[in-house]
Amino acid sequence: MQTKEELLGKTPDELKTLVVGWGMPAFTARQILKWIYEKHVFRFADMSDISKANREKLATLAAIGINPPVETLTSADGTEKYLFRLDDARTVEAVYIPDKERATLCISSQVGCRMGCLFCMTGKQGLQRNLAAAEIINQILSVPHSMELTNIVYMGMGEPTDNLDEVLKSMEAVTAPWGLSWSPKRVTLSTVGVRKGLKRFLQESKSHLAVSLHSPDMRRAEIIPADRAFPAADMINMLREYDFSHQRRLSFEYIMFAGVNDSLSDAEALAHLIKGLDCRVNLIRYHAIPGVPLSCASEKDMTMFRDALNRKGITATIRASRGEDIFAACGMLSSRHKKHTAE
């Protein structure tokens, strides 16, 4: 039985090569892209400006590649978490976060993660494989609220800069005129800081950057092992080479652990580390995961920490926690259905 060619994630040139090879006009590629990304139509039979003969041929030779989530969990706060089953039976999760006029989707870039961050359930799995661009884009197009989304954040499972080719390809589909045609300002990539991948992202993308910092000094390596290869101080020096005062925004994610990184002296050290950068700091509550001897800083200490940064001229906010009751909050995503996960 012939395997159908999946079209999701294909660039205009790649799609044009396919349709011409199937004996169709080159402009058919443009028509297909418009149906998929502009109109969110995923059945060839409904693509009415393509000839009936070519629609039937497409149905025989190709598949769009849209695979809706197999499970949805809804939090008491309105957050929704989606479980996607991949072709090899592995699973990934994405999270929809509605907040007044904003509707954000947090998407995954890998099955598991090799970074091994102490506080993260995804990292406990290790890296199983990278997601293809089509599997990343599918998370955006196939969720129930797809047409309502205002923002995309690459903050789900995986380290995006560890799979940068596919991540950038998926970002192109989001921001290019032939794709969703979003402004890059509606897209944010989160990273712990992988030297080569971070530098390339800064050079090849205009989207926002969120850096997982979580400690202002050498203790960061105990929380984020990747710090040993690319220390925070070196990463900050790299970031100083780029302009974040205009379209692109730089933020630092700082999960607060009781007795670890939540003191006023930690706030002082953090302010010194990022002094002069046009940035903001998001203080995040730690959400406990099994087997990790960490606890969240108190509300009092988080507030004092925030106020200390603000007094130093650094914009700092305490991020509202969303979806903890369905394990959808920061650091809690995983391929939970182990029995469906390929070995």
Side-chain angles (χ1 to χ4, degrees):
M1 181 176 172
Q2 182 181 0
T3 302
K4 292 185 177 183
E5 186 78 42
E6 288 200 351
L7 305 187
L8 195 64
K10 293 283 193 291
T11 65
D13 287 343
E14 290 170 340
L15 194 51
K16 186 185 299 183
T17 298
L18 279 176
V19 298
V20 169
W22 291 332
M24 304 177 195
F27 62 75
T28 307
R30 184 174 66 251
Q31 292 172 307
I32 293 171
L33 290 170
K34 186 171 183 178
W35 282 109
I36 293 174
Y37 292 105
E38 184 177 324
K39 299 183 178 182
H40 288 224
V41 169
F42 307 129
R43 281 172 21 103
F44 294 120
D46 297 331
M47 298 180 179
S48 56
D49 60 354
I50 299 175
S51 72
K52 183 179 179 181
N54 283 339
R55 278 181 276 160
E56 292 174 348
K57 188 182 292 186
L58 285 167
T60 300
L61 298 173
I64 300 297
I66 291 292
N67 297 297
V70 296
E71 180 182 292
T72 300
L73 297 177
T74 302
S75 167
D77 62 27
T79 298
E80 295 181 8
K81 183 169 71 167
Y82 310 108
L83 182 75
F84 294 89
R85 185 162 299 126
L86 309 175
D87 288 344
D88 60 2
R90 290 184 166 89
T91 56
V92 294
E93 295 182 323
V95 179
Y96 169 72
I97 309 167
D99 185 17
K100 298 178 182 177
E101 73 282 358
R102 291 171 64 93
T104 300
L105 187 68
C106 176
I107 60 176
S108 296
S109 57
Q110 296 178 312
V111 183
C113 183
R114 79 170 89 231
M115 297 298 113
C117 297
L118 181 61
F119 56 85
C120 182
M121 284 187 68
T122 306
K124 306 305 177 189
Q125 297 178 228
L127 178 64
Q128 297 179 26
R129 74 168 173 86
N130 289 329
L131 294 185
E135 293 171 320
I136 299 173
I137 299 166
N138 177 68
Q139 296 170 65
I140 302 169
L141 295 182
S142 72
V143 297
H145 303 282
S146 179
M147 297 289 281
E148 305 163 25
L149 297 176
T150 62
N151 297 84
I152 297 293
V153 293
Y154 288 73
M155 294 183 182
M157 296 172 61
E159 164 55 53
T161 64
D162 195 34
N163 183 25
L164 196 57
D165 285 340
E166 299 303 307
V167 165
L168 289 175
K169 192 173 182 181
S170 69
M171 282 187 173
E172 183 182 7
V174 173
T175 59
W178 56 263
L180 293 176
S181 197
W182 283 21
S183 164
K185 292 187 291 185
R186 295 171 64 182
V187 180
T188 301
L189 178 142
S190 176
T191 179
V192 299
V194 178
R195 188 189 304 266
K196 184 178 179 181
L198 176 57
K199 189 173 185 67
R200 185 178 161 204
F201 170 75
L202 290 167
Q203 293 171 340
E204 298 183 24
S205 171
K206 295 180 180 178
S207 292
H208 296 324
L209 176 66
V211 175
S212 296
L213 197 56
H214 311 320
S215 176
D217 54 36
M218 291 185 295
R219 290 172 298 168
R220 182 174 186 260
E222 300 172 13
I223 304 170
I224 303 176
D227 186 81
R228 300 186 185 105
F230 191 26
D234 294 347
M235 178 170 53
I236 299 299
N237 286 335
M238 176 189 287
L239 294 174
R240 293 187 189 282
E241 299 173 7
Y242 296 87
D243 184 5
F244 296 99
S245 62
H246 298 294
Q247 176 171 308
R248 168 178 279 167
R249 184 176 68 232
L250 171 64
S251 60
F252 291 100
E253 310 294 292
Y254 196 95
I255 298 177
M256 298 201 66
F257 308 105
V260 176
N261 63 352
D262 61 342
S263 69
L264 289 178
S265 62
D266 290 320
E268 182 78 22
L270 175 59
H272 178 74
L273 178 66
I274 63 177
K275 182 179 180 180
L277 275 173
D278 196 320
C279 65
R280 66 183 64 183
V281 176
N282 294 318
L283 303 178
I284 303 170
R285 294 171 178 84
Y286 170 62
H287 304 98
I289 61 174
V292 176
L294 294 170
S295 58
C296 184
S298 68
E299 289 297 315
K300 177 183 177 182
D301 287 342
M302 290 187 72
T303 300
M304 291 175 62
F305 198 102
R306 178 200 63 193
D307 294 346
L309 291 177
N310 287 337
R311 285 194 297 271
K312 292 285 186 180
I314 296 169
T315 300
T317 58
I318 299 174
R319 180 186 292 169
S321 181
R322 301 291 301 271
E324 185 174 7
D325 57 330
I326 57 170
F327 274 64
C330 180
M332 302 184 82
L333 300 189
S334 68
S335 295
R336 297 177 298 104
H337 295 260
K338 300 298 185 185
K339 65 182 179 181
H340 298 302
T341 301
E343 297 297 335

